[in-house]
Amino acid sequence: MQKALVIDPVKCTGCKQCELACSYVKEGEFNPAKSRIRVFDFHQDARFVPYTCTQCAEAWCQRACPVDAITTNEWGVKEVHDGLCVGCKVCIIACPFGTVNYNASTGKVIKCDECGGDPACVKACPTDAIIYMDVEQAGFGKMRQWAAKTDTAAQATQ
Amino acid sequence: MHHVILGAGPAGVIAADTLRKHDAGAKITLMSAEDEPPYSRMAIPYFLSSQIDEEGTYLRQDHGHYKNQGIELLRARAGAVDANNQTIALEDGGEVQYDRLLIATGASPVHPRVEGLDLPGVHTCWTLEDARAILDRAHKGDDVVLMGAGFIGSIILEALVSRDVKLNVVEMGDRMVARMMDETAGGMLKRWCEEHGVAVLTGTRITQITRSKDRLDVALSSGKSLRAKLVVVAAGIAPNIGFLEGSGIKTRQGVKVDGFMRTSAPHVYAAGDVAQAKDLSTGEFSVLAIQPVAADHGRIAALNMAGHATPHAGSLNMNVLATIGLVSSSFGAWDGVEGGMSAATSDADAYRYLRLEFDGDRLAGAQGVGLTDHIGVARGLIGTRLRLGRWKDVLMKSPERLAEAYVACAQGIR
């Protein structure tokens, strides 16, 4: 079964608990700059948009990696293996969503791995703006449609 | 069905894997001219800096990958292609018959006409074999001269610095990474290098290299000379198309392909550094010798070879580079398009720079220094040709709000 993070920006109040939870669980520090999820603030429109990796079926980051450091686990999640990652950063420019980032203190790239099936951001979100559910029920197509338009073939859907 | 792939770099390996996925029963032969398991040239600098061992450069980390996928690895170099009879003549004799052929032979370093480039102690940095030779010669305190500060040269630069050699960089152009970034960015990189103890001589040519005993003397166009134990040549690369002479397969800059990665000969495709394919930014057909493009090409060519007609809408030129820890990147038409508008922000002391180029209200190109957060959105915005609407005005004033603009437009926050 494939599960996915499903984000409903309308429910987001911009409290950024998800960013803190993510950086704490993944990096051991409360540092939003190292969070795998980011909440974008649109003050003027009173909107907040939590934003993270959509775990593309055919992932640009994975294919662009020159050393096979990004693999797909049983839940369809793309994981970066620190032991193999050389920090070349090709994945961070290849990902058209900008959801793979570089961690200068480790020299490796970081991206959402859904915390191995128990995402910290979901637990931290007080308003259910981020939930974790079956891919089939999630109406997950929207971001992947974006993906399809981004590249040279409709690869994210295959 | 027998698919033959010439070249076991990223384009070739990705094509082989894709073929297996989409043409389960086919025979797949992956030919490599080098006596190594398929590896990534891009990983070589990290091998040089001892971050990884040789195995860390391999394109597939699972030792049994090719066997498990039923991909036959063949150590051979193609001498010629007979497109009428669908055969490849191997350089050391023998012949391989194909039903579908992928030319993914990559590129090789260019050797400028400079006397002494064939001397012992002068090396290109392209293959694992080159890397081993450099590892042998570049030790702490050794004098090393790097010829070329383009993209590849600049990546090697970082690896050499990590080996604590005494490095001098000689670049004939007016700046570093001239084909990737503008004067401001190139100037920033040079100043950064100098601040970190690496001399970068731009606007300077190497005119001659001579050897006396175990020492190389590198003569420069400025009249000065540098001594070196090792000279590393990174003067550019050119597609490996020589073996196609007389084959009837059309080549120019590289192997010309159409919008389905097909060459001019039936059943013959090309991908990666050797292919002259569509550039998304210019609409023209050119060689874009970079890893993500090789990955795209390899996959799309393989889908077409497997009978799934898949158009190639064009690839985006993009590069990312770390120079002694300073990260820079560029995307698409970073130098602008005719009639387009431009916005830039820079902080020279902090080594931060971002320049955006627009085509109407669409992003056409971007370049940045010292920025890594969410920079992939530049690819997303350029690739989707997403209309920015009022966000273009926001970006004209505040280019650093690029990721925000992307998310806003994707979410319909106009």
Side-chain angles (χ1 to χ4, degrees):
Chain A
M1 183 173 63
Q2 293 209 352
K3 293 179 83 174
L5 290 172
V6 180
I7 293 170
D8 183 357
V10 174
K11 289 182 179 167
C12 178
T13 60
C15 73
K16 308 205 176 187
Q17 294 287 323
C18 54
E19 292 184 358
L20 294 173
C22 178
S23 70
Y24 184 66
V25 166
K26 303 312 270 186
E27 302 288 335
E29 54 182 302
F30 293 112
N31 181 356
K34 289 181 182 173
S35 170
R36 278 76 167 151
I37 189 164
R38 173 158 171 206
V39 179
F40 283 88
D41 243 321
F42 298 99
H43 291 296
Q44 276 188 330
D45 306 84
R47 289 272 301 274
F48 302 96
V49 182
Y51 190 69
T52 191
C53 173
T54 61
Q55 318 293 347
C56 305
E58 285 278 355
W60 285 267
C61 61
Q62 185 172 26
R63 222 175 324 114
C65 176
V67 292
D68 214 11
I70 302 177
T71 57
T72 307
N73 74 12
E74 57 192 297
W75 300 291
V77 172
K78 307 299 178 285
E79 296 177 318
V80 179
H81 298 270
D82 280 358
L84 295 172
C85 175
V86 293
C88 77
K89 302 170 234 29
V90 168
C91 56
I92 78 172
I93 61 166
C95 169
F97 305 110
T99 52
V100 188
N101 283 313
Y102 180 63
N103 182 350
S105 45
T106 59
K108 312 281 178 185
V109 297
I110 52 176
K111 69 177 287 300
C112 171
D113 63 359
E114 298 181 0
C115 297
D118 187 19
C121 55
V122 172
K123 285 187 283 189
C125 179
T127 59
D128 288 340
I130 313 166
I131 55 173
Y132 195 52
M133 62 187 291
D134 288 355
V135 170
E136 284 73 25
Q137 296 172 27
F140 195 53
K142 196 176 169 191
M143 288 307 279
R144 287 193 177 163
Q145 279 167 20
W146 274 100
K149 280 198 293 183
T150 310
D151 207 22
T152 44
Q155 49 200 351
T157 56
Q158 285 173 13
Chain B
M1 180 65 71
H2 186 198
H3 297 287
V4 177
I5 299 166
L6 303 182
V13 167
I14 286 168
D17 286 351
T18 308
L19 281 167
R20 177 50 71 229
K21 198 167 155 188
H22 292 271
D23 196 351
K27 182 181 174 191
I28 301 167
T29 303
L30 181 59
M31 262 171 65
S32 171
E34 286 177 61
D35 200 8
E36 324 273 1
Y39 70 93
S40 168
R41 302 211 193 288
M42 261 209 60
I44 284 178
Y46 307 96
F47 171 55
L48 286 179
S49 60
S50 306
Q51 243 178 290
I52 50 172
D53 55 15
E54 285 199 16
E55 264 185 49
T57 69
Y58 294 171
L59 283 161
R60 292 292 173 264
Q61 292 295 327
D62 171 7
H63 287 256
H65 177 79
Y66 302 98
K67 204 172 172 212
N68 297 340
Q69 292 289 308
I71 295 164
E72 193 199 329
L73 289 173
L74 178 63
R75 161 82 177 83
R77 187 183 287 272
V81 173
D82 181 341
N84 294 323
N85 293 311
Q86 296 184 214
T87 55
I88 303 143
L90 305 180
E91 230 172 38
D92 47 7
E95 214 177 66
V96 176
Q97 191 92 32
Y98 65 83
D99 295 307
R100 299 285 180 276
L101 174 65
L102 179 65
I103 299 167
T105 47
S108 293
V110 168
H111 295 267
R113 281 188 199 151
V114 173
E115 198 184 317
L117 278 194
D118 52 350
L119 288 171
V122 182
H123 292 273
T124 53
C125 182
W126 190 242
T127 62
L128 268 179
E129 208 182 327
D130 290 339
R132 291 179 199 119
I134 291 170
L135 275 179
D136 266 355
R137 288 181 159 81
H139 297 289
K140 192 172 181 174
D142 288 341
D143 287 308
V144 177
V145 171
L146 174 63
M147 178 183 196
F151 175 67
I152 295 171
S154 295
I155 283 187
I156 299 167
L157 185 158
E158 171 152 289
L160 290 170
V161 168
S162 76
R163 299 191 62 75
D164 287 328
V165 300
K166 277 188 255 163
L167 185 62
N168 280 287
V169 183
V170 183
E171 164 59 47
M172 64 179 191
D174 66 345
R175 64 179 189 270
M176 294 177 70
V177 287
R179 292 176 61 207
M180 172 181 158
M181 285 188 290
D182 67 13
E183 291 81 355
T184 306
M188 244 179 213
L189 260 61
K190 179 176 167 174
R191 194 160 54 84
W192 175 268
C193 286
E194 287 168 349
E195 212 159 88
H196 288 78
V198 176
V200 181
L201 308 169
T202 48
T204 308
R205 287 170 188 272
I206 292 179
T207 53
Q208 189 187 37
I209 303 173
T210 51
R211 190 174 177 89
S212 51
K213 290 181 187 167
D214 58 349
R215 194 182 106 171
L216 294 162
D217 282 299
V218 181
L220 306 177
S221 54
S222 60
K224 292 180 181 158
S225 76
L226 299 165
R227 73 154 73 176
K229 184 181 167 196
L230 169 71
V231 176
V232 178
V233 179
I237 55 165
N240 292 324
I241 51 176
F243 73 104
L244 293 173
E245 221 168 277
S247 69
I249 297 170
K250 277 190 188 140
T251 61
R252 198 183 231 164
Q253 193 190 3
V255 179
K256 293 187 79 177
V257 294
D258 65 9
F260 293 85
M261 308 308 292
R262 293 179 295 211
T263 69
S264 62
H267 311 310
V268 182
Y269 300 74
D273 289 4
V274 76
Q276 187 175 346
K278 196 168 178 186
D279 178 331
L280 195 65
S281 291
T282 61
E284 284 168 20
F285 286 73
S286 43
V287 171
L288 292 176
I290 56 171
Q291 165 89 11
V293 169
D296 287 350
H297 281 181
R299 181 172 173 282
I300 292 169
L303 286 170
N304 286 303
M305 290 165 77
H308 302 284
T310 307
H312 173 243
S315 295
L316 189 66
N317 192 19
M318 52 188 168
N319 281 295
V320 63
L321 172 72
T323 312
I324 323 179
L326 182 64
V327 180
S328 54
S329 58
S330 75
F331 299 83
W334 54 266
D335 208 18
V337 296
E338 214 183 311
M341 290 170 84
S342 177
T345 175
S346 76
D347 180 342
D349 295 335
Y351 290 98
R352 286 169 80 89
Y353 178 56
L354 179 64
R355 173 176 155 192
L356 304 179
E357 290 294 335
F358 299 93
D359 181 4
D361 69 347
R362 297 178 166 105
L363 188 71
Q367 59 185 308
V369 177
L371 306 163
T372 56
D373 277 356
H374 308 294
I375 57 169
V377 298
R379 180 190 193 179
L381 279 168
I382 299 167
T384 52
R385 294 184 55 75
L386 190 62
R387 298 195 68 151
L388 289 158
R390 80 168 172 91
W391 281 95
K392 185 201 162 190
D393 304 324
V394 173
L395 292 176
M396 285 297 295
K397 288 194 202 89
S398 313
E400 70 282 358
R401 293 178 69 185
L402 188 66
E404 211 181 317
Y406 176 72
V407 173
C409 292
Q411 291 289 327
I413 301 172
R414 301 274 179 177

